[in-house]
Each structure stands twice: as structure tokens, then as C-alpha cells.
Amino acid sequence: MNVVHSEIDDPCWESVKAQIGRIRRAFGASSVTCGVLHRGEPVFHYAEGLADIRTQRVADADTIYPIASCSKAFTAATCAALVDEGLLSWDKPVSSYLPEFQTVNNAEVSQEATLVDLCSHSTGLAPLDHAIIGFHDSYLNDAADQVKISSNLPVLCDFRTAFVYNNFMYGVVGEVISRVCNKSLGSVMADKIFEPLGLLRTHVRTADYPLDGNVAQGYSVLDDGSFLAVGDPEIQDGSVHAGAGLVRSTVNDMLRWAKAVMLAEKQQLSTDPQDTSMKRNLLPGVAFTRSARTHIVPDSTEGENSYGLGWFRHTIPSRWLGSISPNFMLLPDPPVIGQHSPERLAICHYGAIGGFLSALYTFPETCSAVVVLANSSPSRGDPTDLIAQCLCQELFDMKPRVPLEHFALKAAETSKLIWPALVRNWVLARDKTDIVPVPIDYIGTYRNSGLQLRIDVFESQRSSARSLGRQQYDLEPLSFTINKQARQTAKLKHYHWDVWTFLPNTRDDASRKGMELYMALPLVLLSFVRDNTGQVRWLDWDLYGGYDQPELSDAVYTIDPVRFDRISSAAFN
């Protein structure tokens, strides 16, 4: 039976602008910019706030923002183009292109996993992002290491049994593309997508930004509402995880991209030989990437909630919209738009990276799209998620109208509770002993060769010594550095037993030290392990940190802390 969808002849965009402003202010975002496409034509553009506070540059539809995980659709489309040319196959094991991709904790993945498995997040390998992303959202290793690191990821669930969102797998896909084309992923993407579609302000490297300076600066928001500028994301062409989030774009270019995708999809799915919706198919195979592959919610009684290749698929109404948005953890009872309206398929994606957020919805039935970009910290919640839903319900006259600004206020308030909860857990889990082990016991170098990680523990400069009677007691006698990178250094104070901690003093300190991704107790504790002679031989760090996927199959495995072998007891120089 055909469903007739209602639409507003003249949406009340002025009212929507007011809602956008309230949502932006609730999260404290410096700027948001958005656009709407309907029946193939732009029908709404709006931007407010500053793309760059220092220069007072106002955001607009041509301002460049990193789009983070919304890049995955570009990576999948690049694969599809290469499949069309016969350079890649969706059916061959990835290891046939990258023989070094040998998954040590589940050999079945390297033996059988195809590009479809990697792009649909169905390998079952754990998304151990903290093994590659350190303080200040900086990468701990180079792109040359990512296949080996990906091969050594632990197993979260059995192969092809569940949706496990994993940026490493898109990094590996990027390496496959680079290997078969003998040039970088970004160069191939530009050849196959950016240039043919005329995406002139879409880039994969900061070095390629235009000279006009219309580029957003990323920000974290401090407790007093002031802004802390953060560095441009290191993820770009030639970096680790490039395939997962290298693209930087604008609202105008993203609307062009969405239109091209939907027109190509319509042509490829058409059974009408007279269909000439595109004279030349500029995105071969893109319809394949947008078809359902993995259920993100097993055994759901709701409509479709699945993942394709770089695209989420949701039948609205759905509580799973924005399921990887920071808001999903902040709103246990998320908004559900369109509950009293006909069902509608949305094919979409969301993105979050240090200082930036993005949301892209496409509705192929009406060739409609919604794009929202912001330069705001994910740790404070996600304005793009709720603004995008606000635009969707206005465009399609969804009933009832959900007051999404109320959810914005709730998410923003909940985000403020994360730090106090972390401190409370830190205090309650601690054995308050006054006995501090001899710090020299822990000094040395520790290594996990599979994940290409090295931790050097050394004596701190005595800048935090406190006078206790006749004694001088250093509250943070030790420090550690990851992979010999100066920015990956933090001081350690004794927590209890052989466990040491680097929890910052305040939430603002965490922001200034680039530790906003470390808002879970396991992530701020280093556990040293002794052998039967009493000597410290290992270091354990729970880099998974209790990360939670929305839903998983029953075949879920425990993710143990990462173990580092002590290879030297000499003080770090």
C-alpha cells in the first residue's frame, strides 16, 4: 500500500530559526550552520554564531568544518567506484589486498572479512580508540601502523553477529584503497567524488584550505561558558583512521553531495529503462552502499534501524536516531519525532571529533536532505543532532511537534554531571591508605608491541611538593609519556595499592590538558602488576574504558585491560 506523506507548503522557517538559536545556546556552541534540500532544491539556509572567535568571522553556508564520521559515506562511495572499475571486489577478503591484515585474536576475520564487513561494522573487533587517540585528540601512531594495530584489536563479539561501530576498520579500508590505487585515499576520493561533483570547498587536508580563511575553529566549552580553542583534528589524508573521518566540508557542498547520492541511487534502483534522471552516473554503486547490511538493534520490534556501508538507516519514528551522537548517552529517554505521522525512511550519519559535530539526513523518497555543522565540543552534548531533527519535523510536518530545545537543555545539564560523577566514583573506589609505595619501583619503560604502544614512567620534577612537618612529600612523584610524544605526558599520583592515577583537578583542567575523552574511571588509572618475587613486571591500562555500544548480541566477550610488558627499569631520559 502506498503511503501519502504530508508536507508543509510553506514551513515556518522563522520559528525554526528561533529553535536553532535556543538549542545552540543550550549547548554553548560557538556556531551552527545548516541547510535543507527538498525535491532536489535548496529551500533553507541558516547560520548563526562565530566560526572563529579570535577573528570574529561569522559562520555561513560556505564555512568549512571537519565532518568527522560523516566521511564514512565518502569512503564507501570511493570503494564502490573502484568496484565498478574492477579494481576492488566487495566479495574478496580484505587480506587479499592487505596480506598483513592478520587478526591475531580472531583469525576468521582476516580469513573471511570483506570490504562489506569492514564498512558495515560487523567484524566484532573492539573499537579500542584510546589505543590510537591520546590527549588533545592527537594520534599516538602513524598511518603505517594502523593495519598492524587493527590486526591486534581484542574481540568484543563473534564475527558477523552484531553491529560494533569501529573506526579502525574504516582506517583499514582507506589503506586498501591506497594500496590498489598507489596513491592516498584523499587523492582517490578527490578524483572519484569531489571533482566530478564540483565539491570545490571539500578537502581532506588542512593544507588545502582556501586562502579566504572561511574555516571554522574548533572549541571546547569551559564551565564558565567561555571558549577554549582546540587544534584542528589530526585526522586527515595520510593519518591513522583517515577513512573514518578525513573529510572537511560545508553546508552547501554537503547538500550537493546528498543530492548527487540520491539521484544516483534512484537511477541505480530504477527498473524503468527510460529513466534518465542522470545522463551519466557519477557515483557508480552508491545505492549498494546505502542498502541495509547490519542491524544495529537485534530483534527489534520497531521499524528498520540498520547500517549500510557508511550510512545509518532508520524508519522514523525511531528512538535510535543519533545513536552514535554524544546525546545518546546523555538522554536515556531520547526524543522520538513523527510518532503520529506516516513512517518515513531516513538514510543518515552523524559525526563527532574534538571541537566539531555534524549531522546529515537524506530522504530518498522526496530527494530531501538536512545538513547541520557546528564547532562545538562533543563532551558538552550535540546541537547538530537535535537541530537536524528539528528541521526534519518541520520540513515534513511531523506530528506531534517535539520541543527539541527541552531535550537540548536536559542533555546539556546531564553533561555537567559527568565530571562530578567521575570524581565521586574515583573517591568511592579508592582504598584510602596512607601507605605510598616507593615510586622508584615503577620507573621504567613498558611496551605493548601489538598495539604499537610504549609508556615511559619517570620521576616528576618536584613542582608539587608539599611540606608535611619535617618531610617533603611530592603529591605527584611520577609522570608518564606515551610513545615518547611530549604532548602525551601526564603526572601520576598514588591511588591505592599498585594503582596510580592521572585524574585532573577539575573538568576545566581536563579540557586544557586535552583529556575530555578520558571521562571514565578506568581510563585515568594505571595498574602496575608484580611477579611472584614482588618485582613490577607489567602495567595494565583499561583502554576500552567500559565503552558501551547501544546493543550487542549475546556472544559478547570481556575486554581485558591492555597489558604492557616492562622492558626496562631505567629512568626515562
Side-chain angles (χ1 to χ4, degrees), residues 71 73-76 78 177 184-196 204 242-243 246-247:
S71 304
F74 287 91
T75 300
T78 304
I177 293 170
S184 73
L185 166 64
S187 297
V188 181
M189 196 176 284
D191 292 343
K192 306 298 180 186
I193 300 175
F194 303 164
E195 293 173 11
V204 294
L246 78 168
V247 177

Side-chain angles (χ1 to χ4, degrees), residues 32-104:
V32 296
T33 180
C34 50
V36 178
L37 183 83
H38 189 51
R39 302 206 176 278
E41 298 298 328
V43 295
F44 177 71
H45 284 95
Y46 182 66
E48 67 172 48
L50 296 176
D52 190 320
I53 294 171
R54 182 182 62 84
T55 64
Q56 293 292 288
R57 178 177 288 278
V58 177
D60 60 38
D62 286 320
T63 301
I64 297 172
Y65 295 76
I67 65 170
S69 288
C70 287
S71 304
K72 290 180 171 67
F74 287 91
T75 300
T78 304
C79 282
L82 297 176
V83 169
D84 183 69
E85 294 175 14
L87 294 175
L88 286 178
S89 168
W90 292 119
D91 302 320
K92 288 184 179 180
V94 169
S95 56
S96 67
Y97 304 106
L98 297 174
E100 64 270 34
F101 183 60
Q102 298 295 323
T103 50
V104 299

Side-chain angles (χ1 to χ4, degrees), residues 26 40 62 69 92 113 129 177 231 240 247 376 404 494-495 517 537 550:
D62 286 320
S69 288
K92 288 184 179 180
D129 282 345
I177 293 170
V240 180
V247 177
S376 180
L404 292 163
H494 184 243
Y495 186 65
L517 293 179
R537 290 285 307 277

Side-chain angles (χ1 to χ4, degrees), residues 420-461:
L422 171 58
V423 173
R424 183 168 57 252
N425 290 339
W426 188 93
V427 171
L428 292 176
R430 188 182 190 190
D431 183 350
K432 299 178 179 64
T433 176
D434 291 328
I435 300 174
V436 181
V438 179
I440 199 172
D441 282 358
Y442 308 97
I443 292 174
T445 298
Y446 303 79
R447 186 185 298 278
N448 183 293
S449 58
L451 297 176
Q452 298 288 85
L453 288 175
R454 165 178 170 161
I455 294 179
D456 290 285
V457 179
F458 53 97
E459 187 176 9
S460 299
Q461 294 182 353

Side-chain angles (χ1 to χ4, degrees), residues 135-198:
F135 309 144
H136 304 285
D137 294 295
S138 295
Y139 282 106
L140 305 174
N141 283 289
D142 299 325
D145 301 314
Q146 75 179 337
V147 175
K148 179 176 182 179
I149 295 169
S150 300
S151 298
N152 281 272
L153 293 174
V155 174
L156 183 60
C157 64
D158 290 336
F159 180 49
R160 292 177 178 165
T161 62
F163 173 78
V164 179
Y165 192 81
N166 194 329
N167 289 315
F168 282 94
M169 297 303 101
Y170 271 81
V172 173
V173 171
E175 290 299 310
V176 170
I177 293 170
S178 181
R179 181 73 57 88
V180 300
C181 295
N182 198 29
K183 56 181 170 180
S184 73
L185 166 64
S187 297
V188 181
M189 196 176 284
D191 292 343
K192 306 298 180 186
I193 300 175
F194 303 164
E195 293 173 11
L197 298 186

Side-chain angles (χ1 to χ4, degrees), residues 161 294-303 305 320 551-554:
T161 62
T294 310
H295 295 292
I296 68 171
V297 189
D299 303 320
S300 174
T301 57
E302 303 175 23
N305 290 287
W320 298 94
E551 293 282 346
L552 286 174
S553 70
D554 294 333

